[in-house]
Amino acid sequence: RYFEFHNSLKKSSFTGFYFDVEPVTQEIEECDPIFARFLAGLPSTDQDFDTYLAECRQELLEAGAQEVIEEANRQFAAFKTGNGS
């Protein structure tokens, strides 16, 4: 059954994609500690979850998260175009 299942799987559109972080290294370096701080505080916060998440999202956006997302999307679109997808 395993081999039947394995052989029936379709190749993901992400297969072979590699995100080159070089263009957004600074933004990633600024976002990493924010994400880590919010993630570490999540189990112990007494703050409303939606408020906590909104604050995290805002800090990440201010640190450049949107630029990281846009660069990843740009690279993936170029990858898909280059692979005939």
Side-chain angles (χ1 to χ4, degrees):
R1 288 186 183 176
Y2 170 79
F3 288 114
E4 287 176 23
F5 172 74
H6 184 270
N7 291 335
S8 71
L9 295 175
K10 294 181 181 175
K11 182 177 157 183
S12 168
S13 60
F14 287 95
T15 301
F17 175 70
Y18 173 77
F19 178 49
D20 177 12
V21 299
E22 185 63 34
V24 288
T25 299
Q26 180 177 347
E27 290 85 350
I28 291 172
E29 288 175 355
E30 291 179 24
C31 287
D32 279 348
I34 295 167
F35 186 70
R37 178 170 43 85
F38 273 89
L39 190 58
L42 186 59
S44 61
T45 186
D46 58 356
Q47 193 173 20
D48 174 71
F49 177 75
D50 291 331
T51 303
Y52 190 77
L53 190 59
E55 288 178 9
C56 177
R57 184 175 191 272
Q58 184 60 40
E59 283 192 41
L60 288 169
L61 289 173
E62 290 171 5
Q66 189 61 44
E67 288 80 3
V68 176
I69 293 167
E70 289 170 5
E71 180 61 22
N73 287 336
R74 185 195 67 73
Q75 288 182 31
F76 186 64
F79 170 78
K80 283 179 23 180
T81 300
N83 285 310
S85 298

